[in-house]
Short mmCIF file of all heavy atoms in Angstrom, two decimals:
data_model
loop_
_atom_site.label_atom_id
_atom_site.label_comp_id
_atom_site.label_asym_id
_atom_site.label_seq_id
_atom_site.Cartn_x
_atom_site.Cartn_y
_atom_site.Cartn_z
N GLY A 67 -2.74 -2.68 -12.15
CA GLY A 67 -2.13 -2.06 -10.98
C GLY A 67 -1.40 -0.78 -11.35
O GLY A 67 -1.21 -0.48 -12.52
N PHE A 68 -0.99 -0.06 -10.32
CA PHE A 68 -0.11 1.10 -10.55
C PHE A 68 0.91 1.21 -9.44
O PHE A 68 0.66 0.80 -8.31
CB PHE A 68 -0.89 2.41 -10.72
CG PHE A 68 -1.57 2.91 -9.46
CD1 PHE A 68 -0.90 3.71 -8.54
CD2 PHE A 68 -2.91 2.60 -9.23
CE1 PHE A 68 -1.53 4.19 -7.40
CE2 PHE A 68 -3.56 3.08 -8.08
CZ PHE A 68 -2.86 3.87 -7.17
N VAL A 69 2.08 1.71 -9.84
CA VAL A 69 3.17 1.96 -8.89
C VAL A 69 3.41 3.45 -8.87
O VAL A 69 3.45 4.10 -9.93
CB VAL A 69 4.48 1.26 -9.36
CG1 VAL A 69 5.65 1.71 -8.52
CG2 VAL A 69 4.33 -0.25 -9.31
N VAL A 70 3.58 4.01 -7.69
CA VAL A 70 4.05 5.39 -7.58
C VAL A 70 5.50 5.34 -7.11
O VAL A 70 5.82 4.80 -6.05
CB VAL A 70 3.20 6.23 -6.60
CG1 VAL A 70 3.89 7.54 -6.26
CG2 VAL A 70 1.83 6.50 -7.23
N THR A 71 6.36 5.90 -7.93
CA THR A 71 7.79 5.94 -7.56
C THR A 71 8.24 7.40 -7.47
O THR A 71 7.54 8.29 -7.89
CB THR A 71 8.64 5.15 -8.55
OG1 THR A 71 9.98 5.03 -8.04
CG2 THR A 71 8.66 5.79 -9.92
N THR A 72 9.38 7.61 -6.85
CA THR A 72 9.94 8.96 -6.72
C THR A 72 11.41 8.94 -7.10
O THR A 72 12.04 7.88 -7.14
CB THR A 72 9.82 9.51 -5.28
OG1 THR A 72 10.85 8.93 -4.49
CG2 THR A 72 8.47 9.23 -4.64
N ARG A 73 11.96 10.14 -7.30
CA ARG A 73 13.40 10.28 -7.62
C ARG A 73 14.26 9.78 -6.45
O ARG A 73 15.43 9.55 -6.62
CB ARG A 73 13.72 11.75 -7.91
CG ARG A 73 13.58 12.65 -6.72
CD ARG A 73 13.40 14.09 -7.12
NE ARG A 73 12.05 14.36 -7.58
CZ ARG A 73 11.61 15.55 -7.97
NH1 ARG A 73 12.44 16.60 -8.00
NH2 ARG A 73 10.38 15.71 -8.38
N PHE A 74 13.67 9.63 -5.28
CA PHE A 74 14.46 9.26 -4.08
C PHE A 74 14.35 7.75 -3.71
O PHE A 74 14.87 7.35 -2.67
CB PHE A 74 13.98 10.09 -2.87
CG PHE A 74 14.20 11.56 -3.04
CD1 PHE A 74 13.14 12.45 -3.06
CD2 PHE A 74 15.49 12.08 -3.21
CE1 PHE A 74 13.34 13.80 -3.19
CE2 PHE A 74 15.69 13.44 -3.36
CZ PHE A 74 14.62 14.30 -3.36
N LYS A 75 13.71 6.96 -4.53
CA LYS A 75 13.64 5.54 -4.20
C LYS A 75 15.03 4.89 -4.32
O LYS A 75 15.80 5.24 -5.21
CB LYS A 75 12.69 4.83 -5.17
CG LYS A 75 11.22 5.19 -4.97
CD LYS A 75 10.62 4.51 -3.80
CE LYS A 75 9.12 4.81 -3.71
NZ LYS A 75 8.49 4.23 -2.55
N PRO A 76 15.36 3.97 -3.43
CA PRO A 76 16.66 3.29 -3.51
C PRO A 76 16.82 2.58 -4.85
O PRO A 76 15.82 2.13 -5.45
CB PRO A 76 16.60 2.29 -2.35
CG PRO A 76 15.51 2.77 -1.47
CD PRO A 76 14.53 3.48 -2.33
N VAL A 77 18.06 2.41 -5.28
CA VAL A 77 18.32 1.76 -6.56
C VAL A 77 17.75 0.33 -6.57
O VAL A 77 17.22 -0.14 -7.58
CB VAL A 77 19.82 1.81 -6.87
CG1 VAL A 77 20.64 1.02 -5.88
CG2 VAL A 77 20.09 1.32 -8.29
N GLU A 78 17.83 -0.35 -5.43
CA GLU A 78 17.29 -1.72 -5.35
C GLU A 78 15.78 -1.72 -5.63
O GLU A 78 15.26 -2.63 -6.28
CB GLU A 78 17.55 -2.35 -3.98
CG GLU A 78 18.99 -2.58 -3.66
CD GLU A 78 19.67 -1.39 -2.97
OE1 GLU A 78 19.13 -0.24 -3.07
OE2 GLU A 78 20.75 -1.59 -2.39
N THR A 79 15.10 -0.71 -5.09
CA THR A 79 13.65 -0.63 -5.31
C THR A 79 13.34 -0.34 -6.77
O THR A 79 12.39 -0.89 -7.35
CB THR A 79 13.04 0.43 -4.39
OG1 THR A 79 13.29 0.05 -3.04
CG2 THR A 79 11.54 0.60 -4.59
N LYS A 80 14.16 0.53 -7.40
CA LYS A 80 13.94 0.84 -8.81
C LYS A 80 14.16 -0.40 -9.69
O LYS A 80 13.41 -0.65 -10.64
CB LYS A 80 14.86 1.99 -9.24
CG LYS A 80 14.44 3.32 -8.63
CD LYS A 80 15.33 4.46 -9.09
CE LYS A 80 14.83 5.77 -8.48
NZ LYS A 80 15.73 6.89 -8.69
N GLN A 81 15.17 -1.16 -9.34
CA GLN A 81 15.41 -2.39 -10.10
C GLN A 81 14.28 -3.39 -9.90
O GLN A 81 13.83 -4.06 -10.83
CB GLN A 81 16.75 -3.00 -9.68
CG GLN A 81 17.94 -2.19 -10.16
CD GLN A 81 19.26 -2.61 -9.56
OE1 GLN A 81 19.31 -3.42 -8.60
NE2 GLN A 81 20.36 -2.06 -10.04
N PHE A 82 13.83 -3.49 -8.66
CA PHE A 82 12.73 -4.42 -8.36
C PHE A 82 11.47 -3.98 -9.15
O PHE A 82 10.74 -4.81 -9.69
CB PHE A 82 12.46 -4.41 -6.84
CG PHE A 82 11.39 -5.38 -6.43
CD1 PHE A 82 11.63 -6.73 -6.41
CD2 PHE A 82 10.14 -4.92 -6.02
CE1 PHE A 82 10.63 -7.63 -6.02
CE2 PHE A 82 9.16 -5.78 -5.64
CZ PHE A 82 9.41 -7.16 -5.60
N MET A 83 11.23 -2.66 -9.20
CA MET A 83 10.08 -2.16 -9.97
C MET A 83 10.20 -2.50 -11.45
O MET A 83 9.22 -2.95 -12.06
CB MET A 83 10.03 -0.62 -9.80
CG MET A 83 8.87 0.00 -10.55
SD MET A 83 8.89 1.80 -10.36
CE MET A 83 10.20 2.21 -11.48
N SER A 84 11.38 -2.34 -12.02
CA SER A 84 11.54 -2.65 -13.42
C SER A 84 11.23 -4.11 -13.71
O SER A 84 10.58 -4.42 -14.72
CB SER A 84 12.98 -2.34 -13.86
OG SER A 84 13.25 -0.99 -13.70
N ALA A 85 11.69 -4.99 -12.83
CA ALA A 85 11.42 -6.42 -13.03
C ALA A 85 9.94 -6.71 -12.90
O ALA A 85 9.35 -7.49 -13.68
CB ALA A 85 12.22 -7.25 -12.02
N LEU A 86 9.29 -6.05 -11.95
CA LEU A 86 7.85 -6.30 -11.73
C LEU A 86 7.04 -5.80 -12.94
O LEU A 86 6.14 -6.50 -13.42
CB LEU A 86 7.40 -5.59 -10.45
CG LEU A 86 5.96 -5.82 -10.05
CD1 LEU A 86 5.88 -6.10 -8.55
CD2 LEU A 86 5.06 -4.63 -10.38
N VAL A 87 7.40 -4.63 -13.46
CA VAL A 87 6.66 -4.07 -14.57
C VAL A 87 6.91 -4.90 -15.85
O VAL A 87 6.00 -5.08 -16.66
CB VAL A 87 7.02 -2.59 -14.79
CG1 VAL A 87 6.38 -2.04 -16.06
CG2 VAL A 87 6.57 -1.76 -13.58
N ALA A 88 8.10 -5.44 -15.98
CA ALA A 88 8.38 -6.29 -17.13
C ALA A 88 7.53 -7.57 -17.06
O ALA A 88 7.04 -8.07 -18.08
CB ALA A 88 9.87 -6.66 -17.16
N ARG A 89 7.34 -8.08 -15.86
CA ARG A 89 6.55 -9.27 -15.71
C ARG A 89 5.05 -8.99 -15.80
O ARG A 89 4.29 -9.82 -16.31
CB ARG A 89 6.85 -9.92 -14.33
CG ARG A 89 6.15 -11.23 -14.11
CD ARG A 89 6.58 -11.89 -12.81
NE ARG A 89 5.78 -13.11 -12.58
CZ ARG A 89 5.76 -13.74 -11.43
NH1 ARG A 89 6.48 -13.33 -10.42
NH2 ARG A 89 5.02 -14.82 -11.30
N TYR A 90 4.64 -7.82 -15.32
CA TYR A 90 3.24 -7.44 -15.32
C TYR A 90 3.06 -6.10 -16.05
O TYR A 90 2.91 -5.07 -15.40
CB TYR A 90 2.70 -7.31 -13.91
CG TYR A 90 2.78 -8.54 -13.06
CD1 TYR A 90 3.69 -8.63 -12.03
CD2 TYR A 90 1.94 -9.63 -13.30
CE1 TYR A 90 3.78 -9.79 -11.24
CE2 TYR A 90 2.00 -10.78 -12.52
CZ TYR A 90 2.93 -10.85 -11.52
OH TYR A 90 3.00 -11.96 -10.72
N PRO A 91 3.06 -6.10 -17.36
CA PRO A 91 2.97 -4.82 -18.10
C PRO A 91 1.63 -4.11 -17.89
O PRO A 91 1.51 -2.93 -18.30
CB PRO A 91 3.19 -5.24 -19.57
CG PRO A 91 3.04 -6.71 -19.61
CD PRO A 91 3.26 -7.26 -18.25
N GLU A 92 0.68 -4.77 -17.29
CA GLU A 92 -0.58 -4.11 -16.95
C GLU A 92 -0.44 -3.22 -15.72
O GLU A 92 -1.43 -2.66 -15.22
CB GLU A 92 -1.70 -5.13 -16.75
CG GLU A 92 -1.52 -6.07 -15.58
CD GLU A 92 -0.63 -7.29 -15.93
OE1 GLU A 92 0.24 -7.17 -16.80
OE2 GLU A 92 -0.79 -8.35 -15.28
N THR A 93 0.80 -3.08 -15.23
CA THR A 93 1.09 -2.16 -14.13
C THR A 93 1.61 -0.84 -14.70
O THR A 93 2.63 -0.84 -15.43
CB THR A 93 2.18 -2.76 -13.19
OG1 THR A 93 1.68 -4.01 -12.70
CG2 THR A 93 2.48 -1.84 -12.03
N ARG A 94 0.97 0.27 -14.37
CA ARG A 94 1.43 1.58 -14.83
C ARG A 94 2.28 2.23 -13.75
O ARG A 94 2.02 2.07 -12.56
CB ARG A 94 0.26 2.47 -15.16
CG ARG A 94 -0.48 2.08 -16.39
CD ARG A 94 -1.18 3.34 -16.95
NE ARG A 94 -2.40 2.97 -17.65
CZ ARG A 94 -3.31 3.84 -18.01
NH1 ARG A 94 -3.17 5.13 -17.76
NH2 ARG A 94 -4.39 3.45 -18.67
N VAL A 95 3.28 2.97 -14.20
CA VAL A 95 4.18 3.65 -13.27
C VAL A 95 3.92 5.15 -13.32
O VAL A 95 3.85 5.73 -14.41
CB VAL A 95 5.65 3.36 -13.62
CG1 VAL A 95 6.59 4.15 -12.72
CG2 VAL A 95 5.94 1.87 -13.51
N TYR A 96 3.78 5.75 -12.14
CA TYR A 96 3.55 7.21 -12.05
C TYR A 96 4.66 7.84 -11.21
O TYR A 96 5.05 7.29 -10.18
CB TYR A 96 2.19 7.50 -11.40
CG TYR A 96 1.05 7.18 -12.33
CD1 TYR A 96 0.51 5.88 -12.38
CD2 TYR A 96 0.53 8.16 -13.17
CE1 TYR A 96 -0.53 5.59 -13.25
CE2 TYR A 96 -0.52 7.86 -14.04
CZ TYR A 96 -1.04 6.58 -14.07
OH TYR A 96 -2.04 6.30 -14.96
N GLN A 97 5.16 8.97 -11.68
CA GLN A 97 6.21 9.71 -10.98
C GLN A 97 6.03 11.18 -11.26
O GLN A 97 5.80 11.59 -12.41
CB GLN A 97 7.60 9.21 -11.43
CG GLN A 97 8.72 10.05 -10.83
CD GLN A 97 10.10 9.41 -11.02
OE1 GLN A 97 10.23 8.20 -11.21
NE2 GLN A 97 11.15 10.21 -10.96
N ASN A 98 6.17 12.01 -10.23
CA ASN A 98 6.07 13.44 -10.41
C ASN A 98 7.48 14.03 -10.45
O ASN A 98 8.22 13.97 -9.47
CB ASN A 98 5.30 14.08 -9.22
CG ASN A 98 5.01 15.54 -9.43
OD1 ASN A 98 5.49 16.14 -10.41
ND2 ASN A 98 4.21 16.12 -8.56
N ASP A 99 7.86 14.57 -11.61
CA ASP A 99 9.21 15.12 -11.81
C ASP A 99 9.29 16.60 -11.59
O ASP A 99 10.26 17.25 -12.02
CB ASP A 99 9.73 14.76 -13.22
CG ASP A 99 9.98 13.26 -13.35
OD1 ASP A 99 10.47 12.67 -12.37
OD2 ASP A 99 9.68 12.70 -14.43
N ILE A 100 8.32 17.15 -10.93
CA ILE A 100 8.31 18.60 -10.65
C ILE A 100 9.58 19.01 -9.91
O ILE A 100 10.16 18.23 -9.13
CB ILE A 100 7.06 18.93 -9.77
CG1 ILE A 100 6.88 20.42 -9.64
CG2 ILE A 100 7.16 18.30 -8.41
CD1 ILE A 100 5.59 20.80 -8.88
N GLU A 101 10.04 20.25 -10.17
CA GLU A 101 11.21 20.77 -9.45
C GLU A 101 10.80 21.09 -8.03
O GLU A 101 9.76 21.69 -7.78
CB GLU A 101 11.68 22.06 -10.15
CG GLU A 101 13.09 22.45 -9.76
CD GLU A 101 13.60 23.62 -10.60
OE1 GLU A 101 13.30 23.63 -11.81
OE2 GLU A 101 14.26 24.48 -10.01
N ILE A 102 11.62 20.65 -7.09
CA ILE A 102 11.34 20.93 -5.66
C ILE A 102 12.61 21.47 -5.02
O ILE A 102 13.72 21.32 -5.52
CB ILE A 102 10.85 19.69 -4.89
CG1 ILE A 102 11.91 18.55 -4.98
CG2 ILE A 102 9.50 19.21 -5.41
CD1 ILE A 102 11.56 17.37 -4.08
N ALA A 103 12.45 22.09 -3.82
CA ALA A 103 13.59 22.64 -3.11
C ALA A 103 14.54 21.53 -2.69
O ALA A 103 14.11 20.39 -2.42
CB ALA A 103 13.10 23.37 -1.84
N ASP A 104 15.83 21.85 -2.65
CA ASP A 104 16.83 20.89 -2.17
C ASP A 104 16.45 20.41 -0.77
O ASP A 104 16.12 21.22 0.10
CB ASP A 104 18.21 21.53 -2.11
CG ASP A 104 18.88 21.54 -3.48
OD1 ASP A 104 18.31 20.91 -4.39
OD2 ASP A 104 19.92 22.21 -3.62
N GLU A 105 16.56 19.14 -0.54
CA GLU A 105 16.33 18.54 0.77
C GLU A 105 14.95 18.93 1.36
O GLU A 105 14.80 19.13 2.58
CB GLU A 105 17.46 18.89 1.75
CG GLU A 105 18.79 18.39 1.25
CD GLU A 105 19.88 18.38 2.33
OE1 GLU A 105 19.82 19.20 3.24
OE2 GLU A 105 20.77 17.49 2.22
N LEU A 106 13.96 19.02 0.48
CA LEU A 106 12.60 19.30 0.95
C LEU A 106 12.15 18.20 1.93
O LEU A 106 11.38 18.48 2.82
CB LEU A 106 11.65 19.37 -0.25
CG LEU A 106 10.21 19.80 0.03
CD1 LEU A 106 10.15 21.18 0.63
CD2 LEU A 106 9.34 19.69 -1.22
N TYR A 107 12.68 17.00 1.74
CA TYR A 107 12.30 15.91 2.65
C TYR A 107 12.73 16.18 4.07
O TYR A 107 12.20 15.61 5.02
CB TYR A 107 12.87 14.58 2.15
CG TYR A 107 14.34 14.61 1.84
CD1 TYR A 107 15.30 14.52 2.82
CD2 TYR A 107 14.76 14.69 0.50
CE1 TYR A 107 16.66 14.55 2.50
CE2 TYR A 107 16.10 14.74 0.18
CZ TYR A 107 17.04 14.67 1.18
OH TYR A 107 18.37 14.67 0.86
N LYS A 108 13.73 17.09 4.23
CA LYS A 108 14.14 17.47 5.60
C LYS A 108 13.33 18.67 6.11
O LYS A 108 12.94 18.71 7.28
CB LYS A 108 15.64 17.87 5.63
CG LYS A 108 16.58 16.71 5.69
CD LYS A 108 18.00 17.25 5.91
CE LYS A 108 19.04 16.17 5.77
NZ LYS A 108 20.39 16.72 5.61
N THR A 109 13.17 19.64 5.24
CA THR A 109 12.54 20.92 5.69
C THR A 109 11.03 20.82 5.76
O THR A 109 10.41 21.45 6.60
CB THR A 109 12.95 22.07 4.75
OG1 THR A 109 12.60 21.71 3.42
CG2 THR A 109 14.44 22.31 4.84
#
Side-chain angles (χ1 to χ4, degrees):
F68 68 86
V69 171
V70 167
T71 188
T72 78
R73 68 200 76 180
F74 297 118
K75 290 283 185 182
V77 64
E78 294 89 342
T79 298
K80 290 182 178 171
Q81 289 169 350
F82 184 73
M83 179 182 76
S84 298
L86 184 136
V87 173
R89 183 174 175 194
Y90 300 108
E92 64 276 28
T93 301
R94 288 205 210 168
V95 176
Y96 288 87
Q97 174 167 337
N98 189 352
D99 291 322
I100 188 175
E101 196 172 321
I102 59 172
D104 278 351
E105 300 196 330
L106 186 61
Y107 50 79
K108 279 188 188 164
T109 55

